[in-house]
Amino acid sequence: MPKVLYCRVLGGGPQCQQTVAFIHGFMGDHRDWLPIANELASPQVKVVLVDLPGHGSSPLGENPPRSFDEASEIVWQTIAEHIQGSLTLVAYSLGGRIACRIQAQHESKIDRLVLESASFGIEDGLEREQRYRKDQRLFSRVLEGQRTFYQFLNTWYQLPLFAALNESPDYSDMIVRRLEQDCGQLSASLAFFSVGCMEYSLKLANNWHGELFYIAGDLDEKYSGIAKSLSSKWHVECIPKASHNVQAQKRPAYLTLLRNILFS
């Protein structure tokens, strides 16, 4: 596994004052963030877009990460090479779990943490173990030829978690991007990216000195519930008529929110 992953850098230069690093979710890649990133990048704002291990242009290779912490550290090493000025991590779903781990390990180097629809992990050890075993079987029928990847995706995005996502203008393009992924790589990445692999991270985040933001869609009962349960230390936004993937469903509102976070 290379120590530095594929990333794309937009904006920045001698006048750069801040860096915004975007971390995508499971089955995604850096292109998921491009519509947002292109609007934010400028000579004053550098944007860093990473492909996670086993996703997009970051294949696992012969020595994949051995743990969630190791994978998170590899993501950090990639981002850290490009930091100018202050640093904001904007992270979706799995990316949010990674961002929390990065924040815990490198808290003095990060100024803001913006999580979208992210879990903080599972507190109960037995439940973590059960979830890990379940995740290892997620792609078994696809890899065994019993169903196609397209059929898997169609079922996946019909989950209540993703309510109304198929009505977003980017949905068809998103499915095309997902179909370009390697199912074997995605499945292998769950050996270290499963939520059953990570320590519960909310307590560490709550004790951090930096600014904390949490974004969820009000149609996503689980994650809007997490948002509403957070302490007053968090700046919480629940976006109307959006579910799990807020930045795809309500892009103008999401972009306005990010601009307020970064520039106010």
Side-chain angles (χ1 to χ4, degrees):
M1 180 71 196
K3 289 187 176 181
V4 177
L5 305 170
Y6 173 85
C7 75
R8 184 169 176 178
V9 178
L10 305 174
Q15 299 177 343
C16 184
Q17 300 171 355
Q18 61 175 309
T19 300
V20 185
F22 289 92
I23 309 176
H24 64 79
F26 184 61
M27 296 195 294
D29 62 43
H30 76 280
R31 294 174 296 174
D32 292 349
W33 288 113
L34 273 176
I36 298 285
N38 283 328
E39 293 291 333
L40 293 176
S42 72
Q44 291 76 37
V45 180
K46 178 185 282 189
V47 172
V48 180
L49 306 161
V50 179
D51 278 357
L52 296 177
H55 294 68
S57 298
S58 294
L60 294 177
E62 297 181 0
N63 298 297
R66 295 165 293 180
S67 67
F68 187 83
D69 283 3
E70 185 176 326
S72 299
E73 181 62 22
I74 293 168
V75 176
W76 167 251
Q77 289 172 7
T78 304
I79 293 170
E81 285 198 351
H82 302 283
I83 298 172
Q84 284 184 275
S86 64
L87 175 61
T88 300
L89 298 181
V90 181
Y92 164 67
S93 197
L94 164 61
R97 294 194 280 115
I98 294 168
C100 282
R101 197 60 199 152
I102 291 173
Q103 172 269 316
Q105 295 294 323
H106 304 280
E107 58 180 22
S108 65
K109 299 176 182 177
I110 301 163
D111 298 276
R112 298 185 195 91
L113 190 63
V114 183
L115 305 183
E116 176 193 348
S117 306
S119 165
F120 294 98
I122 300 171
E123 287 191 88
D124 181 75
L126 178 59
E127 189 179 345
R128 276 201 305 270
E129 184 179 338
Q130 291 171 341
R131 176 59 185 270
Y132 178 80
R133 289 200 299 266
K134 180 181 178 180
D135 284 346
Q136 303 319 296
R137 301 190 300 270
L138 183 63
F139 289 101
S140 59
R141 292 183 63 199
V142 177
L143 296 175
E144 292 165 5
Q146 297 177 24
R147 68 189 310 198
T148 66
F149 188 28
Y150 178 81
Q151 289 171 328
F152 172 89
L153 290 172
N154 188 54
T155 301
W156 182 263
Y157 288 116
Q158 292 302 315
L159 293 172
L161 189 72
F162 298 105
L165 177 60
N166 61 0
E167 299 172 9
S168 69
D170 187 48
Y171 182 74
S172 296
D173 289 341
M174 185 194 74
I175 293 298
V176 170
R177 294 195 301 272
R178 298 295 181 267
L179 289 169
E180 292 174 357
Q181 302 283 359
D182 183 322
C183 256
Q185 293 272 311
L186 295 175
S187 181
S189 76
L190 285 169
F192 49 86
F193 275 152
S194 166
V195 69
C197 293
M198 66 175 286
E199 296 180 25
Y200 188 69
S201 60
L202 180 56
K203 293 177 183 177
L204 290 172
N206 281 338
N207 291 329
W208 185 47
H209 68 278
E211 292 184 276
L212 295 166
F213 299 84
Y214 195 99
I215 302 169
D218 68 352
L219 299 180
D220 181 350
E221 292 185 8
K222 177 179 178 179
Y223 290 91
S224 63
I226 290 174
K228 293 169 185 175
S229 73
L230 294 172
S231 73
S232 59
K233 186 177 179 68
W234 292 80
H235 305 275
V236 171
E237 292 284 346
C238 287
I239 306 300
K241 299 182 180 179
S243 56
H244 194 62
N245 196 332
V246 181
Q247 25 98 9
Q249 291 175 282
K250 298 295 178 181
R251 188 166 294 146
Y254 196 92
L255 186 56
T256 297
L257 181 56
L258 275 188
R259 282 182 168 137
N260 289 338
I261 291 170
L262 296 171
F263 307 126
S264 63

